[in-house]
Amino acid sequence: MTANPLLPESAVVLKTKQQTYDTITFTMALTGERQTKYRFQPGQFNMVSLFGIGEAPISISSEPERENSFDHTVRIVGNLTGALRQLEAGDLVGVRGPYGSGWPVDEAVGKDVLVVAGGIGLAPLRPVITHILANRPHYGKLEILYGARTPQDLLYTDEYESWRSALDCTVSATVDTVPEKQEWDGHVGVVTTLYKEMKTRPNNSVVMMCGPHIMMKFGIIGLEKDGFSPDNLYVSLERRMKCGVGMCGHCQTGPVHVCKDGPVFQYSRLQRMSLPVL
């Protein structure tokens, strides 16, 4: 008898880490022996649930090489995430997954990689960064362009220096604005303004992008103007995913189910299908 794909497994919260005023990273592990068999690809997501409250798709934000646990970086924006905020080490949640397509880390072997992220969009791209750094000889240069609304909204700020210290890895961060009483001596402007200083060139490179709709729209326009091919541009789309396995049709857009066929898509594929996604 086939296991019910909609039945969550039990996972225990091992620890929590406050990333920003409204964003928390939860480190979890499936209970029993299931964790020893759990594997995921960068870019995939889990369906995370709390009994009596609800379920939501949340990107996996940890390095795929880690076998004893996995991370979810969550922005507190609704009922479920508000309830997750109350969790402490030892609490249990429901987890289904991993689901969806991943970033093209295999196709990027031997090539330069440009990561472009906005806000919480850095979370599903963090596994790409850590995977490349863990397998450094197999990839070309790694360039990370990251933007957030304010300095207080930047994720993983304690990791930037370790990323920068890796061979051929550059990290550029920017904020849209600097509110009063917040300290920031870095770049100010939307993430696309970092393109002026970007080192990655279109030849022999792969771009992976995730962030707000408007950021990805203009991010792609700018990259195409710079000569990057749609075949080498990959984006992660967020839709109202409910089942995670393409059964309910809630996230269907044209001929694709974002939960099953995505969330990572090659941009040229989206163009061919004329999907209104960017």
Side-chain angles (χ1 to χ4, degrees):
M1 183 175 181
T2 304
N4 185 350
L6 303 181
L7 184 65
E9 299 181 77
S10 179
V12 61
V13 176
L14 301 178
K15 63 180 180 179
T16 65
K17 180 178 181 179
Q18 194 80 34
Q19 293 286 347
T20 72
Y21 61 95
D22 68 347
T23 305
I24 302 170
T25 294
F26 297 88
T27 299
M28 306 177 180
L30 297 174
T31 57
E33 298 181 358
R34 178 69 175 88
Q35 182 61 44
T36 61
K37 300 178 182 179
Y38 180 85
R39 297 292 183 273
F40 70 93
Q41 295 296 315
Q44 290 188 300
F45 65 94
N46 283 326
M47 298 296 297
V48 180
S49 60
L50 286 174
F51 183 74
I53 297 176
E55 183 180 52
I58 302 178
S59 298
I60 306 167
S61 59
S62 51
E63 59 273 23
E65 286 75 16
R66 191 201 307 172
E67 297 182 356
N68 60 350
S69 65
F70 52 90
D71 292 345
H72 286 299
T73 298
V74 181
R75 177 160 287 164
I76 311 303
V77 294
N79 291 336
L80 177 67
T81 54
L84 288 173
R85 178 177 232 159
Q86 309 303 318
L87 296 181
E88 299 176 346
D91 289 336
L92 296 176
V93 300
V95 171
R96 294 192 289 118
Y99 296 131
S101 61
W103 298 106
V105 290
D106 291 337
E107 293 86 340
V109 168
K111 299 179 181 179
D112 294 338
V113 177
L114 175 64
V115 168
V116 184
I120 195 70
L122 184 59
L125 281 163
R126 182 170 174 257
V128 170
I129 297 168
T130 56
H131 175 76
I132 290 175
L133 297 184
N135 298 274
R136 201 67 200 89
H138 301 296
Y139 296 89
K141 296 177 181 178
L142 172 63
E143 184 168 13
I144 303 162
L145 307 181
Y146 177 47
R149 290 175 296 177
T150 74
Q152 287 189 344
D153 292 293
L154 292 165
L155 295 180
Y156 313 123
T157 54
D158 57 337
E159 299 182 35
Y160 299 169
E161 287 310 310
S162 65
W163 296 351
R164 289 188 178 109
S165 67
L167 179 67
D168 287 333
C169 179
T170 59
V171 181
S172 300
T174 184
V175 296
D176 296 347
T177 184
V178 183
E180 254 184 84
K181 299 183 180 179
Q182 287 192 28
E183 295 183 4
W184 178 252
D185 59 2
H187 191 279
V188 177
V190 297
V191 70
T192 52
T193 60
L194 295 175
Y195 286 2
K196 297 176 183 178
E197 307 297 328
M198 182 173 63
K199 297 177 176 61
T200 307
R201 303 319 313 150
N203 54 308
N204 198 43
S205 63
V206 174
V207 181
M208 307 183 200
M209 179 183 295
C210 185
H213 173 101
I214 193 69
M215 171 240 139
M216 291 200 293
K217 176 180 179 179
F218 285 99
I220 283 185
I221 290 173
L223 290 172
E224 287 190 301
K225 284 182 179 179
D226 284 341
F228 287 85
S229 167
D231 289 337
N232 297 325
L233 301 179
Y234 292 80
V235 296
S236 182
L237 304 182
E238 290 188 6
R239 285 295 183 269
R240 296 178 296 277
M241 297 182 283
K242 294 197 74 172
C243 72
V245 293
M247 292 175 62
C248 70
H250 203 257
C251 67
Q252 185 171 0
T253 303
V256 302
H257 293 82
V258 175
C259 69
K260 187 177 179 181
D261 302 305
V264 175
F265 289 93
Q266 184 181 39
Y267 183 57
S268 59
R269 181 186 177 196
L270 299 178
Q271 287 181 314
R272 289 194 297 270
M273 292 187 292
S274 299
L275 293 183
V277 291
L278 290 177

